[in-house]
Amino acid sequence: MLLITNKTFSLPLLAAAFALLFTACDDSSTGPETGEEESQIETHTVEDLDTGYGGRMTPNDTLYYSLRENSIVDKSDSVSTQWDLAFSGTTIYTNSEASGPGDGGAIVLGQTFDATTIAPSEGYAIDTTATNLAITTGSDNGWYHYTGQKGTPPHTIVPLENTTLIVRTADGKHYAKLRIISWYKGNPDLSSDEFANNSDNYPSGNYTFEYAIQLNGTRTFTEE
Amino acid sequence: MMKVIQRAFLISICMLTTLTAYAQQSYSLEGVVTNKKGQPLENAQLTLQEPDLHTVTDQTGAFAFSSLRSGSYTLTISHVGYQSLHRSVDIDYSSRDSLTFQLAIKRYESPSVVVTATRSSRDIEEVPEPVTVISDKQIKASGNTRLSEILAEQTGLTLTSDHGTGIQVQGFSSDYTKIMIDGQPLIGRTAGTLNLDRISVGNVQQVEMIKGPSSALWGSDALAGVINIITEKGQRPFELGINSRYATNKTLDLGLNLSTRKNNWQQNFYFNRNSSGGYRLRPNSISQTVPSYHNYTTSYQTSFPLFQAVEIEFQGRYYREEQSSRDYLGDAENPTLLDSDALQEDYSLAPTINFELGTHTTAKLSHYFSRYRTDSRYQYRQGDSLYEHTQFDQYYNKSELQLNHNWSVNHISSLGSGYKHEQLKAQRYAGDPAFNSYFIFAQHEWIPTGRWDIIGGLRYDGHSEYAAQLSPKFSARYKLFEWLHLRGSAGSGFKAPDFRQLFLNFTNPTVGYSVFGSSTVRDRVQELQERGQINEILIPLDQLNEIKAEHSWAYNVGIDLYPTDNLELRINLFHNDVSDLIESAPIATKNNGQSIYSYFNLEDVYTRGIETQLRWEPNRQIELSAGYQLLDARRKIEGTRTVQNGQGEVVEKTYSSFKPMFNRSKHTANLKLYYFWEALDVDANIRGTWHGPYGRTDANGNTYVDSNEYEDGYMIWDTNLAKTFRDRYTLRMGIDNILDFTRPSDLSYLPGRIFYARISLQLY
């Protein structure tokens, strides 16, 4: 069950935002760096985005997601710029070079979500090969820590604290900051005995994350 | 001619007369042996030296030695259930009276002689090192049978569960404490843990423990400390004791001690069988938390003088454990069941020759051989085919010579040297790796006045596979007053890289990553490179440094207070700086997207704290002891972080700080109360240990403990009651873990509440 909640914006506001977005996209004469546009920040929390991982040993499904639309993109549109991020197991692809036709990219910042008030102007990494990704894979390399056999709880994917992903959208024009909250369905408390004893109730490969996206073409994540 | 014969005759007469007179000058020693209440003790053993003369007391406690020459003798009186008495007696004209000797009943008194601090027998109040001693009386009173259970009750020690029960000392994990039996190291560690459940304490005279690095004397692994188990040596001509203990979880322990002693020929034999039905902490789990097992321990020790000034000693030990358990593959809902049989075996042989080279010098030449092997099989329950079969076989040989020389009363030196050869046969290790090492150590003790005792020591360890180690140590004790002693020491310790870190040659068959030991990684990576399997080399092979041993420097400062005869307070402050801890890290990536890992000296750690120990015997009935440890164990966390500058642009920032480590309680404490009712021969005790909150779950993956990652503290209380009949038969009944505390997630060695009964019979 995919649940998309909208924390700060009501539906009419969201619609207005989209309208503005299209205007902004159409009007290419307006430079993205002028900073005079009215801020159009959307903040969303996406819960239990199921990548179809389900505890299987090899990730065999990929889920495409549009941060701009805050919605899942159908797999048939995987070769398009509709999606910004794709999730497969613990791997997150950006819509760039080896992964898609877009101008996406990402930076993994070692700072908190709240402290991130602006997206950097440069330094974005892209997916150059199937294994060399903008959001680097592996424990402690990108967004998560894997506790391993000796960990408590063992064999668990724990999102790294003080880690914020800056994502450039597939159109190369917008920036989002993103924090992954959980990789387990229902966002369980990973330190609880409940999770340790009944891990089957919390299937893995279910992303819960929050993100803020600036749709006015600037890089700021502040309202003013 | 006649004159000559006459003279010869006269001389002969004279001589005869003298001889007769001499023969008439023989003496006897008579007396009575009683207990402190004045009741006579029958069958007390008396030995008079030199030469060796034996006798026993009769029903009235009386004894007599006759036909003695005048002179000084040493008299030893021993009796089952009583403390042995040593007296020197002068036999001459004046000693005609009958003597009365009173023996005191054995109580929980602390023993006074230790060997681990200086590699020679010394009084515990003299050595500058902070030594902890657990006596056989304490061990027997605790009702416990394995070393792990005994150590769990000691101040500052915490048990850990990782491939066996290990011990954490001053915040160091169990890899860093050296475990020895009679000064010889036990081998056979799994994932760094030497399983302390392997060691039976049924034949232990005392357990000596030094906290803090002791590599200056004992070499590798003595980084957090040394635990030396001193086995019992019989005191009487013939001793035979048996004991058995039955406890919850079908746990049965049977032991037999046999010792003989005659004309300085001494033999000690010990046999133990220990078995358990195992237990489950999670009632519905497929596998038992601790599987059922049975094990055997046999040991034999003998010593005898070969010539005057040459003594031969031999020790042998054999241990074998078989364990069967059930395991599964897949998920617990629909498991594929496996049956597992695991065998563990270790044995050791240690011949020693002790020489007395003149009055000031002794020498000890010894060899130690030990082998540890495991063999485990996993079998599919259905179809009975083999799933996995692993074997591990480790050999250890050590030859050593130690010289002790007393220059004078104030100067004592020790010098030693030795050679070690270790070999391994196991899967995951290419071609039976072996390594050689040699060592030389020197120690000098200077006692300038009755108040000072100063010891300096140095040890050099050379090795075929890693950088040589130099381990110094300096310690001093100062008696400010009779009741206040100050102690201080500084020294270093090291732990050699183990077989795994040096020689591992492992490629995961399903995932495809590889781990190579530091001695093999160069060749293996080159090999893979030639075969075109390497994608990228992260650390150029010519830049690989030789691996170093993990190394520490430690400082201890302490005060010992003896305000009254029955009160003792010891306070010790410690600080350990540890560098070059070995961790695995990627060295290259393969074409399959996986990494190749090897071992590097990466981590820095420090642990520091205060340990206090109080002992109080307000009267002959009560003994109270209390201990507390404050511990701060931190690991260096460093790296670079991608952050933003004031303009929002990306910059790399390095960070480095020391952060708290997991599984370490900041506060631990224990309390023991012993009660001894002499009139009824009843004793009872209650013992408690408390562990404060400790970091357990790394919920956010930052590898250190955050304030919300602490697990609650816990308390364990044990108690028992014993009645002794006729000073030699003891029935003890008790409860361990009265509060029935368990924590399946990380304290798997705690089985919950245990009831037990133990019978000890001292037959001779």
Side-chain angles (χ1 to χ4, degrees):
Chain A
M1 175 66 198
L2 172 67
L3 258 166
I4 299 170
T5 60
N6 192 319
K7 268 194 176 163
T8 51
F9 288 82
S10 62
L11 267 174
L13 254 174
L14 192 62
F18 280 126
L20 275 164
L21 164 71
F22 283 110
T23 333
C25 286
D26 291 344
D27 189 2
S28 53
S29 67
T30 315
E33 302 293 333
T34 56
E36 283 167 18
E37 291 84 357
E38 201 170 322
S39 188
Q40 296 170 43
I41 299 167
E42 287 186 16
T43 311
H44 303 284
T45 300
V46 180
E47 292 179 355
D48 296 337
L49 191 64
D50 187 354
T51 62
Y53 185 72
R56 282 184 288 275
M57 288 305 285
T58 47
N60 56 359
D61 208 355
T62 305
L63 191 121
Y64 298 87
Y65 202 80
S66 168
L67 298 177
R68 289 162 290 169
E69 302 282 345
N70 190 24
S71 66
I72 293 171
V73 174
D74 196 82
K75 198 178 289 179
S76 59
D77 290 325
S78 64
V79 191
S80 78
T81 55
Q82 287 185 38
W83 61 275
D84 301 313
L85 290 177
F87 300 87
S88 176
T90 58
T91 306
I92 304 176
Y93 301 96
T94 57
N95 196 335
S96 61
E97 203 164 290
S99 304
D103 293 323
I107 300 174
V108 182
L109 284 180
Q111 60 189 38
T112 63
F113 187 75
D114 291 339
T116 306
T117 55
I118 186 167
S121 65
E122 54 186 19
Y124 289 83
I126 56 168
D127 299 358
T128 55
T129 67
T131 53
N132 193 4
L133 303 180
I135 301 165
T136 41
T137 57
S139 180
D140 304 319
N141 293 334
W143 66 270
Y144 69 87
H145 168 74
Y146 175 62
T147 60
Q149 189 180 348
K150 285 189 170 187
T152 41
H155 305 295
T156 302
I157 297 288
V158 186
L160 291 175
E161 215 173 48
N162 293 330
T163 297
T164 305
L165 306 178
I166 305 291
V167 182
R168 188 169 65 202
T169 55
D171 56 14
K173 288 178 178 155
H174 300 102
Y175 297 92
K177 61 171 181 174
L178 187 145
R179 179 175 80 95
I180 299 185
I181 298 165
S182 173
W183 195 63
Y184 295 92
K185 191 170 184 168
N187 183 19
D189 176 2
L190 300 181
S191 61
S192 64
D193 285 340
E194 165 61 18
F195 179 73
N197 298 337
N198 304 303
S199 59
D200 290 353
N201 296 343
Y202 307 97
S204 59
N206 285 263
Y207 282 85
T208 293
F209 59 86
E210 64 170 326
Y211 75 97
I213 184 164
Q214 174 59 275
L215 294 166
N216 74 356
T218 68
R219 294 181 282 113
T220 59
F221 298 120
T222 46
E223 291 292 342
E224 58 286 342
Chain B
M1 188 65 193
M2 194 62 201
K3 267 187 176 175
V4 175
I5 293 168
Q6 262 184 346
R7 197 175 287 172
F9 181 75
L10 270 171
I11 291 169
S12 306
I13 294 288
C14 286
M15 279 177 71
L16 265 172
T17 333
T18 328
L19 277 173
T20 320
Y22 193 85
Q24 282 167 352
Q25 296 292 324
S26 84
Y27 304 98
S28 61
L29 176 68
E30 289 171 18
V32 181
V33 179
T34 71
N35 63 17
K36 292 281 179 190
K37 295 176 224 161
Q39 293 160 335
L41 288 175
E42 188 186 354
N43 275 328
Q45 313 272 351
L46 293 102
T47 305
L48 203 60
Q49 286 172 315
E50 297 269 331
D52 265 9
L53 295 169
H54 297 282
T55 189
V56 291
T57 53
D58 63 14
Q59 280 177 321
T60 64
F63 70 90
F65 289 101
S66 56
S67 309
L68 301 173
R69 295 184 188 181
S70 66
S72 267
Y73 291 85
T74 309
L75 176 66
T76 306
I77 309 174
S78 55
H79 190 283
V80 178
Y82 291 84
Q83 295 174 37
S84 293
L85 190 77
H86 302 272
R87 278 286 157 78
S88 70
V89 257
D90 289 323
I91 296 189
D92 53 34
Y93 297 102
S94 58
S95 57
R96 294 288 171 87
D97 302 330
S98 172
L99 300 168
T100 301
F101 297 98
Q102 289 195 330
L103 296 189
I105 285 186
K106 276 189 182 175
R107 299 189 56 225
Y108 313 124
E109 286 175 4
S110 60
S112 60
V113 174
V114 294
V115 299
T116 317
T118 60
R119 287 185 95 133
S120 56
S121 294
R122 297 300 310 278
D123 194 298
I124 190 168
E125 285 184 22
E126 302 293 329
V127 292
E129 309 265 349
V131 190
T132 310
V133 182
I134 310 161
S135 68
D136 66 329
K137 290 159 223 160
Q138 274 179 49
I139 293 170
K140 290 195 171 89
S142 75
N144 292 326
T145 58
R146 311 311 277 184
L147 183 64
S148 49
E149 300 163 329
I150 301 292
L151 296 179
E153 297 185 351
Q154 307 305 316
T155 305
L157 303 189
T158 302
L159 293 186
T160 58
S161 287
D162 177 16
H163 297 81
T165 308
I167 194 83
Q168 202 181 79
V169 178
Q170 288 189 348
F172 287 94
S173 58
S174 62
D175 312 33
Y176 300 102
T177 298
K178 189 163 196 150
I179 312 285
M180 304 190 292
I181 296 180
D182 289 320
Q184 300 289 6
L186 267 179
I187 60 162
R189 290 175 185 260
T190 309
T193 301
L194 199 143
N195 188 4
L196 300 170
D197 297 338
R198 254 163 69 188
I199 304 159
S200 165
V201 291
N203 66 331
V204 171
Q205 185 197 324
Q206 65 189 44
V207 178
E208 302 181 4
M209 197 161 38
I210 296 182
K211 294 174 194 163
S214 304
S215 292
L217 274 184
W218 299 107
S220 177
D221 298 0
L223 197 142
V226 176
I227 292 171
N228 192 6
I229 297 139
I230 312 296
T231 58
E232 220 157 29
K233 318 285 186 294
Q235 296 295 319
R236 285 173 280 123
F238 183 77
E239 288 180 46
L240 175 64
I242 55 173
N243 61 70
S244 72
R245 178 185 187 267
Y246 188 77
T248 312
N249 298 328
K250 295 182 201 154
T251 305
L252 177 67
D253 190 87
L254 299 168
L256 181 142
N257 288 288
L258 179 71
S259 72
T260 66
R261 190 185 189 110
K262 192 185 177 192
N263 295 335
N264 294 324
W265 180 30
Q266 176 184 290
Q267 297 186 91
N268 298 283
F269 173 79
Y270 175 66
F271 172 80
N272 175 267
R273 184 188 190 278
N274 182 262
S275 62
S276 169
Y279 57 86
R280 257 183 191 79
L281 291 178
R282 293 196 174 102
N284 300 317
S285 62
I286 295 170
S287 318
Q288 284 184 302
T289 310
V290 168
S292 66
Y293 66 84
H294 61 270
N295 63 47
Y296 300 91
T297 308
T298 310
S299 72
Y300 174 74
Q301 186 267 347
T302 183
S303 65
F304 54 90
L306 191 64
F307 313 109
Q308 198 170 12
V310 180
E311 187 200 48
I312 303 281
E313 190 179 343
F314 172 82
Q315 296 201 24
R317 179 179 187 270
Y318 177 77
Y319 172 82
R320 181 189 175 90
E321 175 173 287
E322 282 167 51
Q323 180 181 294
S324 47
S325 59
R326 191 201 289 179
D327 219 323
Y328 67 99
L329 298 170
D331 67 297
E333 299 289 301
N334 188 18
T336 306
L337 291 180
L338 297 173
D339 285 319
S340 150
D341 286 301
L343 167 81
Q344 241 190 97
E345 191 178 47
D346 80 72
Y347 55 85
S348 63
L349 303 168
T352 304
I353 312 176
N354 293 308
F355 300 94
E356 272 180 40
L357 309 167
T359 49
H360 295 291
T361 311
T362 59
K364 181 175 175 177
L365 180 65
S366 64
H367 185 80
Y368 178 67
F369 163 77
S370 187
R371 182 185 181 197
Y372 171 78
R373 120 187 146 83
T374 65
D375 190 313
S376 65
R377 279 167 190 278
Y378 284 90
Q379 209 98 23
Y380 286 104
R381 172 153 302 179
Q382 281 176 335
D384 209 34
S385 62
L386 191 68
Y387 169 69
E388 192 183 46
H389 181 203
T390 52
Q391 284 170 297
F392 181 90
D393 200 350
Q394 182 185 354
Y395 295 83
Y396 182 99
N397 272 290
K398 177 171 68 113
S399 299
E400 193 171 338
L401 175 69
Q402 185 183 339
L403 292 166
N404 292 322
H405 184 76
N406 296 355
W407 304 93
S408 67
V409 187
N410 318 59
H411 289 277
I412 304 157
S413 293
S414 303
L415 186 68
S417 175
Y419 175 79
K420 282 190 284 187
H421 177 79
E422 291 170 72
Q423 197 176 21
L424 186 68
K425 291 175 185 169
Q427 285 109 342
R428 300 187 177 185
Y429 295 89
D432 303 349
F435 55 58
N436 299 315
S437 54
Y438 56 93
F439 58 89
I440 179 160
F441 65 86
Q443 178 184 266
H444 187 79
E445 181 171 8
W446 181 37
I447 309 156
T449 67
R451 288 175 170 234
W452 280 99
D453 193 321
I454 299 164
I455 300 180
L458 189 65
R459 173 164 164 143
Y460 176 86
D461 284 82
H463 199 279
S464 58
E465 301 296 327
Y466 62 85
Q469 285 296 310
L470 198 62
S471 315
K473 179 140 194 177
F474 178 82
S475 54
R477 168 184 280 264
Y478 180 66
K479 284 185 192 171
L480 187 59
F481 305 108
E482 265 314 302
W483 54 272
L484 198 162
H485 301 186
L486 303 172
R487 269 186 291 108
S489 67
S492 83
F494 75 97
K495 179 179 181 294
D498 59 21
F499 275 109
R500 178 180 46 132
Q501 291 156 347
L502 290 171
F503 298 112
L504 188 66
N505 178 11
F506 173 68
T507 298
N508 184 297
T510 49
V511 184
Y513 67 87
S514 300
V515 190
F516 300 128
S518 66
S519 290
T520 51
V521 66
R522 234 176 274 244
D523 295 347
R524 291 286 98 76
V525 172
Q526 262 165 9
E527 229 173 80
L528 290 172
Q529 212 167 10
E530 280 158 24
R531 279 194 258 152
Q533 293 182 9
I534 301 287
N535 176 39
E536 188 188 358
I537 290 197
L538 305 170
I539 304 171
L541 294 182
D542 51 14
Q543 284 177 27
L544 285 180
N545 293 324
E546 189 181 17
I547 198 164
K548 290 180 281 189
E550 301 176 317
H551 194 264
S552 84
W553 265 101
Y555 312 94
N556 279 273
V557 185
I559 302 178
D560 295 352
L561 285 162
Y562 309 94
T564 64
D565 280 349
N566 51 18
L567 188 62
E568 178 187 309
L569 177 66
R570 297 179 138 213
I571 302 167
N572 190 50
L573 278 70
F574 59 89
H575 182 103
N576 298 297
D577 271 322
V578 196
S579 52
D580 296 327
L581 289 185
I582 296 170
E583 279 288 309
S584 60
I587 176 169
T589 55
K590 293 204 266 189
N591 289 337
N592 64 3
Q594 295 293 333
S595 295
I596 296 172
Y597 299 88
S598 188
Y599 293 93
F600 300 94
N601 296 107
L602 287 177
E603 289 202 334
D604 287 357
V605 157
Y606 75 73
T607 78
R608 60 185 179 187
I610 303 171
E611 189 189 312
T612 60
Q613 185 72 48
L614 174 81
R615 243 166 48 89
W616 184 41
E617 292 182 57
N619 54 49
R620 288 186 51 78
Q621 276 74 50
I622 293 172
E623 181 179 330
L624 177 84
S625 91
Y628 166 76
Q629 180 185 266
L630 174 71
L631 175 71
D632 181 23
R634 287 167 186 265
R635 197 165 69 90
K636 192 177 191 176
I637 305 284
E638 60 183 345
T640 54
R641 197 178 277 147
T642 308
V643 294
Q644 288 176 295
N645 63 12
Q647 284 70 50
E649 297 308 328
V650 172
V651 286
E652 298 287 318
K653 204 173 84 182
T654 59
Y655 60 93
S656 163
S657 61
F658 282 88
K659 297 288 189 182
M661 296 164 77
F662 285 94
N663 296 316
R664 280 144 181 96
S665 293
K666 193 173 180 186
H667 308 280
T668 50
N670 63 71
L671 184 72
K672 300 182 192 109
L673 180 66
Y674 299 92
Y675 182 77
F676 190 85
W677 194 353
E678 210 167 327
L680 288 180
D681 267 347
V682 166
D683 71 86
N685 62 70
I686 180 156
R687 300 156 355 254
T689 56
W690 173 70
H691 288 85
Y694 58 97
R696 182 160 72 91
T697 310
D698 192 8
N700 56 6
N702 64 4
T703 72
Y704 59 83
V705 186
D706 298 278
S707 56
N708 60 341
E709 292 172 345
Y710 281 92
E711 184 70 73
D712 291 342
Y714 59 94
M715 254 196 304
I716 310 287
W717 285 96
D718 301 341
T719 187
N720 67 48
L721 175 76
K723 162 80 182 154
T724 301
F725 302 90
R726 302 181 62 194
D727 294 333
R728 51 167 78 195
Y729 310 119
T730 304
L731 172 66
R732 189 177 298 277
M733 295 170 80
I735 309 167
D736 283 350
N737 195 355
I738 304 167
L739 304 176
D740 197 21
F741 172 81
T742 60
R743 185 168 284 169
S745 49
D746 72 325
L747 304 175
S748 62
Y749 57 82
L750 269 183
R753 192 182 294 123
I754 297 287
F755 296 93
Y756 65 88
R758 179 191 171 110
I759 300 169
S760 306
L761 309 174
Q762 193 66 46
L763 299 173
Y764 288 97

